[in-house]
Amino acid sequence: MILNNGPLLDDFWDGTAGGYDRWYSAPQGAMYDLLEKRAAAWALRGGRQPSATSMAGAEPAIGPVSPAPDESQTPATAAGSGRGKTLLEVGCGTGRWSAWLAAQGYDVTGLDRSPGMLEVARQRQLRLEAQGGAGQLRLMEGDACSLPVADGSFDVAMSVATLDYLGDGPEGRGQAERAVAEMVRTLRRGGRIIIGVFNRLAPLNIWRQTDGGPPWDGARMFTPRTLAELLAPHGAPSVRTTAWLPDDDRLLSVAPAMDYQYWKAGREDGLMLFGWADVGR
């Protein structure tokens, strides 16, 4: 039986929380994490890609920038102005993204419906506070489709690998659209929404949906076109594909350059999609 995720898999997510992050410490997971963050940096910067010379190396530095960039300012000047600083992460899970964004200087509110995931996130929050992180990190429990957040509270609303699992199922519609509308509601005028989802065109994701079992078999994955359609009612969408990884760990060092080249060449079969739009403009 295919489970359409959502509340049906709450116990699954709670039970997964303890081991969820361990994969990201393995070589494949660490590189996957880096490529995702480069795509997120592209979206946070409004489509401005980190330079080609920086495509291999450490995580990109992406201090807060304006959701509607003033091209007369450098990113550092924009960050210093304090614009674009408040960020809501919907589906924060164990806090990997929220803590990273707070360390970059954002004031982050991370929200998730899984108490188990949030417990791990709170440990990460404590470590960040002990290190004197540049931004603030708050955590709260809540549902993506009914956010316990006031209208117009944030500059950026972001969700990564969450809309796939809200209960629509592989061919469904409704819950992801509702979550996006809720995220838009929380944004100030001109704010930016950023969505990261699994790519239905990636060979590994095709296998996951047919043979991978839960939660993959009940996930609603997206294509570049359908992610753009999800965002289009709220602003002009931009979408990119990312996370091409070589099978051989010995070749992982070339993954950042490969990822950049495949994206520029227009390939659409990477593991992840990132899309963004500026709303209310």
Side-chain angles (χ1 to χ4, degrees):
M1 179 180 71
I2 292 178
L3 298 178
N4 285 345
N5 295 317
L8 295 176
L9 286 186
D10 281 353
D11 289 344
F12 174 88
W13 296 119
D14 284 342
T16 302
Y20 178 82
D21 284 340
R22 283 199 289 269
W23 181 74
Y24 289 96
S25 63
Q28 285 268 339
M31 182 56 69
Y32 177 83
D33 185 57
L34 173 64
L35 298 179
E36 277 193 304
K37 286 174 178 173
R38 291 192 184 281
W42 166 86
L44 285 160
R45 291 174 175 268
R48 286 179 286 163
Q49 177 69 23
S51 67
T53 57
S54 71
M55 289 310 292
E59 294 173 353
I62 50 160
V65 295
S66 170
D70 178 351
E71 296 302 333
S72 67
Q73 291 185 306
T74 67
T77 303
S81 72
R83 297 181 303 145
K85 190 176 182 183
T86 57
L87 186 148
L88 172 67
E89 189 196 357
V90 176
C92 67
T94 61
R96 280 192 321 110
W97 283 91
S98 287
W100 176 65
L101 290 160
Q104 299 289 327
Y106 289 90
D107 288 339
V108 181
T109 298
L111 176 143
D112 204 277
R113 64 175 294 145
S114 166
M117 288 282 188
L118 284 173
E119 183 57 36
V120 178
R122 289 188 182 97
Q123 298 305 311
R124 187 170 261 122
Q125 178 187 32
L126 291 174
R127 291 195 296 271
L128 181 72
E129 291 174 351
Q131 295 165 4
Q136 299 180 12
L137 173 57
R138 305 171 188 85
L139 296 170
M140 62 191 305
E141 188 172 340
D143 192 300
C145 294
S146 182
L147 295 172
V149 176
D151 295 0
S153 299
F154 293 93
D155 300 308
V156 182
M158 182 173 177
S159 182
V160 181
T162 294
L163 301 193
D164 313 79
Y165 300 121
L166 295 184
D168 288 327
E171 306 299 332
R173 294 179 66 87
Q175 295 295 89
E177 285 77 7
R178 185 178 303 176
V180 166
E182 275 288 276
M183 292 170 69
V184 168
R185 177 184 63 77
T186 71
L187 288 172
R188 300 185 178 103
R189 183 173 179 81
R192 178 165 297 156
I193 183 170
I194 299 171
I195 302 295
V197 288
F198 289 100
N199 183 8
R200 194 169 184 172
L201 302 182
L204 177 58
N205 290 338
I206 293 171
W207 177 86
R208 283 166 164 169
Q209 290 217 282
T210 55
D211 298 303
W216 303 105
D217 53 1
R220 176 187 174 183
M221 294 186 185
F222 294 78
T223 66
R225 179 181 61 82
T226 58
L227 178 54
E229 290 173 351
L230 183 70
L231 291 168
H234 308 288
S238 296
V239 175
R240 68 166 288 180
T241 310
T242 191
W244 287 273
L245 289 168
D247 294 330
D248 189 338
D249 283 1
R250 293 172 297 181
L251 300 177
L252 281 175
S253 63
V254 305
M258 181 177 74
D259 187 81
Y260 180 76
Q261 291 167 3
Y262 284 2
W263 168 57
K264 296 297 286 185
R267 285 186 55 165
E268 295 188 334
D269 58 347
L271 287 171
M272 289 291 294
L273 303 171
F274 275 78
W276 64 273
D278 288 337
V279 304
R281 298 181 60 78

